[in-house]
Amino acid sequence: KQEVTQIPAALSVPEGENLVLNCSFTDSAIYNLQWFRQDPGKGLTSLLLIQSSQREQTSGRLNASLDKSSGRSTLYIAASQPGDSATYLCAPSNQAGTALIFGKGTTLSVSS
Amino acid sequence: DVKVTQSSRYLVKRTGEKVFLECVQDMDHENMFWYRQDPGLGLRLIYFSYDVKMKEKGDIPEGYSVSREKKERFSLILESASTNQTSMYLCASSSGLAGYNEQFFGPGTRLTVL
């Protein structure tokens, strides 16, 4: 059964820092992997989707990489801002169109 | 933009009541999902549906049922609400086309059962 771990569980940084959030998964036979952002009490906002055949995806200041063979994905946030403060969730899926398996997230706090 | 809406942001019900949570998506997606989110446990799948009138159990289906009579609407039903069903409920949808399976989530329903 797929298990997803996100490290660290919480992270506090000053504004402007570049940072890396880590995600590891136990079953490397994934179909794709999504990164989400969740603000307190709100739903999930999709940030990036990486297909299993891709190595990375970029959107603005965000870059997500995928290493299937080692069961790892990282989310890189450049020049962090206070508005980036949220919980970030990593979620692979094992087949097309099936449910995601979620990690417990990394809660990021960016201070001004 | 894809939009997934949920019928209520906050809901308070009594133990034993029958509760309906509604989810509607506007992107003609084949797949729809219900998850619940609890502190320390993360998001867990309750049920999902890959077509009208089709449903599959997820990891924690006990105490829940679902209905999908129309493609855009997926309902979660708590047959007899219990206090351990107090949680945040999140609905999601995705296309059935290979390579286009990004999941989009609704705003969530915070359900409290007293």
Side-chain angles (χ1 to χ4, degrees):
Chain A
K1 183 180 175 183
Q2 180 75 277
E3 293 182 3
V4 182
T5 303
Q6 292 188 244
I7 294 174
L11 183 62
S12 292
V13 300
E15 182 176 8
E17 275 204 11
N18 302 324
L19 53 100
V20 175
L21 307 182
N22 295 294
C23 170
S24 61
F25 43 94
T26 54
D27 183 353
S28 63
I30 65 170
Y31 183 76
N32 59 31
L33 184 144
Q34 268 184 270
W35 281 93
F36 294 89
R37 167 191 174 130
Q38 186 176 31
D39 293 292
K42 302 290 179 64
L44 278 63
T45 300
S46 179
L47 298 173
L48 290 163
L49 169 70
I50 310 178
Q51 302 293 347
S52 61
S53 58
Q54 297 175 318
R55 296 283 295 181
E56 63 178 61
Q57 279 282 1
T58 298
S59 176
R61 294 182 295 109
L62 305 179
N63 176 276
S65 67
L66 176 64
D67 184 344
K68 264 187 59 175
S69 60
S70 66
R72 292 181 182 176
S73 178
T74 60
L75 180 67
Y76 175 83
I77 303 176
S80 58
Q81 303 171 357
D84 295 330
S85 299
T87 296
Y88 291 82
L89 296 158
C90 159
S93 70
N94 287 359
Q95 293 180 34
T98 60
L100 299 171
I101 311 298
F102 283 86
K104 292 183 180 173
T106 295
T107 299
L108 173 66
S109 176
V110 182
S111 56
S112 57
Chain B
D1 283 351
V2 173
K3 193 163 186 181
V4 180
T5 58
Q6 295 183 229
S7 50
S8 305
R9 290 285 285 121
Y10 300 95
L11 210 52
V12 179
K13 295 294 183 180
R14 297 280 181 191
T15 302
E17 280 192 74
K18 191 168 186 176
V19 181
F20 293 85
L21 303 182
E22 305 284 339
C23 175
V24 177
Q25 50 92 7
D26 67 357
M27 280 300 291
D28 201 35
H29 282 168
E30 289 78 13
N31 306 316
M32 296 188 75
F33 308 85
W34 277 106
Y35 299 87
R36 65 177 278 178
Q37 185 177 30
D38 301 287
L41 297 176
L43 278 93
R44 294 176 292 168
L45 179 69
I46 306 171
Y47 268 97
F48 70 98
S49 168
Y50 53 88
D51 202 350
V52 175
K53 297 192 185 295
M54 306 301 289
K55 61 184 180 184
E56 294 284 342
K57 292 181 180 179
D59 299 320
I60 51 167
E62 297 78 18
Y64 303 94
S65 62
V66 290
S67 172
R68 193 163 180 205
E69 296 296 319
K70 293 184 178 181
K71 191 175 185 180
E72 68 271 18
R73 187 180 297 269
F74 192 34
S75 302
L76 180 69
I77 304 155
L78 286 65
E79 298 291 343
S80 177
S82 64
T83 55
N84 63 13
Q85 293 177 310
T86 291
S87 186
M88 175 70 137
Y89 290 86
L90 292 159
C91 174
S93 72
S94 70
S95 169
L97 294 174
Y100 293 88
N101 303 128
E102 187 174 4
Q103 278 195 27
F104 297 92
F105 279 76
T109 295
R110 173 76 64 184
L111 173 67
T112 301
V113 183
L114 303 176

